[in-house]
Amino acid sequence: MDRLRGWPATLEEGPVGLRPLRLADVRVWRDTRVRNADWLRPWEPSNPETPLFRTGLGPYVSMVGTLRREARQGLALPWVITYGGRFAGQLTVGAIVWGSARSAQVGYWIDGALAGQGITPTALAMAVDHCFFTTGLHRLEANIRPENQASRRVVEKLGFREEGIRRRQLHIDGAWRDHICYALTVEDCPGGLLVQWRRARESASHGGSPVEEV
């Protein structure tokens, strides 16, 4: 398989979109992160290479260079989440392993001002379908702090399985934190995850079980 097929595509579902991360996003990325510092701080890895709150542009340029290099090598899929064509957050599929595993990990964040509109699960469903049906991955994991109820709701409503606790997995907000491992395989998504998500929202809109938006 040609791993360059994994280079991020531009995807759309109504007003929600995914497109490749660009150097030109530097200022809006920086401004959004600074404005959302309190919203993001409890859940973001303590990583000096991509600090949340500095006003300089250098860390972003370094991060984009690293992610684009990994994308060319078939090791990452770095996307911007857009809403109505405007920057709304970031979704990255990383730590891609090929061979007999064909697995990866997904992480995401969204501007707090746009939370509660169903943007994140829609973006994640599109990313999952691209990973499974275009890139050729078999398994995706999302590792989330137990306290991060909003992020847990995103994966749970999309059908990710809870597979247990990973003790002190990442250094976040000044300490080593436990994470819950959620996972999904291609067999869990017959017909595509986005189709399943659409059906769930349509059912809710016609009086079925409510779908809480995140």
Side-chain angles (χ1 to χ4, degrees):
M1 173 181 147
D2 181 359
R3 294 181 185 176
L4 291 180
R5 286 177 58 195
W7 185 261
T10 297
L11 310 171
E12 293 183 353
E13 170 67 10
V16 180
L18 290 173
R19 63 164 175 77
L21 191 65
R22 303 167 182 160
L23 282 173
D25 295 316
V26 58
R27 294 188 185 280
V28 66
W29 182 91
R30 186 269 314 273
D31 292 346
T32 304
R33 300 277 287 188
V34 170
R35 178 164 45 80
N36 283 270
D38 292 340
W39 166 261
L40 296 173
R41 183 183 289 109
W43 322 121
E44 290 281 334
S46 308
N47 184 349
E49 295 181 358
T50 56
L52 277 174
F53 317 119
R54 293 182 187 173
T55 57
L57 305 181
Y60 175 83
V61 173
S62 176
M63 178 192 70
V64 173
T66 297
L67 288 174
R68 288 174 67 87
R69 182 169 60 252
E70 291 180 353
R72 287 191 296 270
Q73 296 170 346
L75 302 177
L77 294 165
W79 274 295
V80 161
I81 301 172
T82 61
Y83 185 67
R86 302 181 68 175
F87 187 100
Q90 189 175 349
L91 188 154
T92 301
V93 177
I96 296 176
V97 178
W98 295 98
S100 58
R102 290 181 177 263
S103 65
Q105 298 184 22
V106 61
Y108 46 83
W109 62 268
I110 192 168
D111 188 332
L114 297 172
Q117 301 183 50
I119 298 168
T120 310
T122 300
L124 181 55
M126 287 192 290
V128 168
D129 284 351
H130 183 79
C131 287
F132 285 163
F133 304 115
T134 299
T135 306
L137 296 179
H138 177 256
R139 174 184 168 91
L140 288 175
E141 291 185 6
N143 294 293
I144 302 170
R145 285 190 62 184
E147 303 86 351
N148 192 347
Q149 294 296 330
S151 191
R152 291 177 63 185
R153 287 196 299 271
V154 169
V155 295
E156 287 169 356
K157 66 165 54 85
L158 291 177
F160 279 70
R161 291 181 304 278
E162 183 178 331
E163 294 191 345
I165 295 286
R166 293 188 169 177
R167 300 293 180 188
R168 294 173 290 280
Q169 183 190 24
L170 290 174
H171 197 271
I172 290 180
D173 197 24
W176 291 100
R177 310 288 186 176
D178 294 347
H179 283 67
I180 300 175
C181 176
Y182 288 91
L184 199 68
T185 64
V186 68
E187 292 87 356
D188 300 315
C189 306
L193 189 59
L194 185 58
V195 169
Q196 295 178 18
W197 172 234
R198 283 197 203 111
R199 288 173 179 164
R201 299 183 79 181
E202 289 171 0
S203 174
S205 69
H206 288 88
S209 299
V211 175
E212 182 180 3
E213 303 287 18
V214 177

